[in-house]
Amino acid sequence: MGQQEKVATSLAGAVSEDISASLATVDAELARRYPGDPGTRQPVHTVYVPGNDFAADTIRSWGDRALAALDEHAPDARTFARVLGLADEFAEPVYTRVRAKLEREPVEDLRVDFEDGYAGPDEDADASRAARLISEAYEQGTAAPYMGIRMKCMEAAVRDRGIRTLDIFLTGLMERGGLPGGLVLTLPKVTYPQQVTAMVRLLEQFEKARGLEPGRIGFEIQIETSQSILAADGTATVARMIDAAEGRATGLHYGTFDYSACLGVSAAYQSSDHPAADHAKAVMQVAAAGTGVRVCDGSTNVLPVGPAEKVHDAWRLHHGLTRRALARAYYQGWDMHPGHLPTRYAAVFAFYREGFEQAAARLAAYAGHVGGDVMDEPATAKALSSYLLRGIDCGALDEAEVTGLTGLDRASLDGFARPRRGDLTATAG
């Protein structure tokens, strides 16, 4: 090795030190506000079940009903692919994986609903029963990866009832062995950041009362009002809500119908692809970017029930809305009926399988410093690896086939998906 050439500089070392000192507060603020994705699995959907209807067999029942819908209205891969417009090469792989998913893990995230969908006469009893059934499901290995409740909101008329239901539910979990790792709570109809702060204080008090680690309990913020997007002073309220959560916010869930109605959208046009919905979710997405808070799309109220023609029409609608959301980086949405599960998983699986080989090849080339027809950067490598990891997590892709095409194991994929902040400004080479 030859002697390294000495390069000339003009600035004293103290200049860099002074600049770093001047930016120390900003560095700390960036680390606090924008920690990046938490690296945990994100479910592809959230299923809402009324608290008075939730039972020990709810998850298995949804899977069985979804399989029955396939048996009746799309008994083979060719029929299913023709209904949804899937390419022939993906018909069998997608259909086979959809059926396997419905048999193995039909629901990825379940919320027992004590808000709009609740119609029980005894909320205390139903909240206590939900805690017992969820605890038993985790003990028996029959739980969805994520489960929890949607309480009533923090508005004056229902605030005390919502707080009591949450207390009963969380206390019931604690009395039966503690809070499960997949616990998720949803706070609906949030309009002001102060309501988020109130939820934080409530959870702080529960953690203190039960001797839990501070910050143990997080929650989702449901965006269902115009004021949650744009405040009276013209600021983006949703960004202030994330800050008000003090690190406890795990997700922002878009409420299709409440939000649309709030803006005066006629019932016939209330849909997740309405321009008003696109605007709200775009604001949510920008506010959440880099914070570790994930954005979730809403639902469709068109149910796949009735004769085959109506079921197929509803399937096409749901499939199209789900694919549209995935292209816009909304990787999670609501499902309100068992009949939505086949098209949820079909859309998700096709999304990952269609782009799998190209994404794997690009990531392999980047990791191996091999040139190609696309010059990718660290940020693109992050997106490629995140795409592959999401596909593995939901069952669209097998870890072995991803490793086979990329040469990267799970740990290596995680490394590309969650680089240190400074790594994204580096160049590949």
Side-chain angles (χ1 to χ4, degrees), residues 144-282:
Y146 299 93
M147 298 184 76
I149 67 167
R150 177 169 69 170
M151 59 188 283
K152 289 178 171 61
C153 68
M154 284 291 179
E155 293 180 358
V158 295
R159 183 184 304 138
D160 289 345
R161 179 65 261 181
I163 292 172
R164 180 174 174 82
T165 294
L166 181 64
D167 186 8
I168 291 171
F169 175 71
L170 292 177
T171 299
L173 293 177
M174 291 298 298
E175 294 293 316
R176 291 172 175 82
L179 305 182
L183 175 67
V184 189
L185 306 174
T186 305
L187 178 66
K189 293 184 174 61
V190 182
T191 303
Y192 286 86
Q194 291 88 336
Q195 294 168 328
V196 175
T197 299
M199 183 68 166
V200 172
R201 300 287 90 84
L202 175 61
L203 296 176
E204 284 177 344
Q205 290 300 313
F206 186 87
E207 289 165 350
K208 183 177 179 180
R210 301 298 307 209
L212 294 171
E213 178 185 357
R216 165 65 180 85
I217 310 173
F219 61 97
E220 302 163 335
I221 301 169
Q222 199 156 10
I223 305 301
E224 302 178 89
T225 66
S226 61
Q227 296 91 345
S228 62
I229 294 298
L230 191 69
D233 62 0
T235 59
T237 319
V238 66
R240 293 164 57 196
M241 289 176 178
I242 293 173
D243 189 53
E246 300 178 20
R248 293 179 185 265
T250 58
L252 299 173
H253 282 227
Y254 176 68
T256 303
F257 305 102
D258 281 285
Y259 187 85
S260 299
C262 183
L263 268 62
V265 178
S266 298
Y269 298 97
Q270 292 176 357
S271 175
S272 62
D273 61 352
H274 190 280
D278 284 341
H279 171 259
K281 287 179 287 189

Side-chain angles (χ1 to χ4, degrees), residues 41-52:
R41 174 183 179 181
Q42 181 179 9
V44 302
H45 69 170
T46 300
V47 163
Y48 280 80
V49 177
N52 49 296

Side-chain angles (χ1 to χ4, degrees), residues 350-414:
F351 175 75
Y352 290 110
R353 296 211 65 82
E354 288 169 8
F356 164 48
E357 291 186 3
Q358 182 183 46
R362 287 176 65 180
L363 186 58
Y366 178 88
H369 307 291
V370 177
D373 57 359
V374 179
M375 186 173 68
D376 287 323
E377 297 183 354
T380 306
K382 175 183 177 181
L384 291 168
S385 54
S386 295
Y387 171 88
L388 296 173
L389 286 168
R390 290 179 186 278
I392 292 170
D393 285 342
C394 70
L397 306 175
D398 298 325
E399 189 169 343
E401 65 178 339
V402 173
T403 300
L405 288 187
T406 62
L408 303 171
D409 60 14
R410 176 80 192 219
S412 299
L413 291 170
D414 282 330

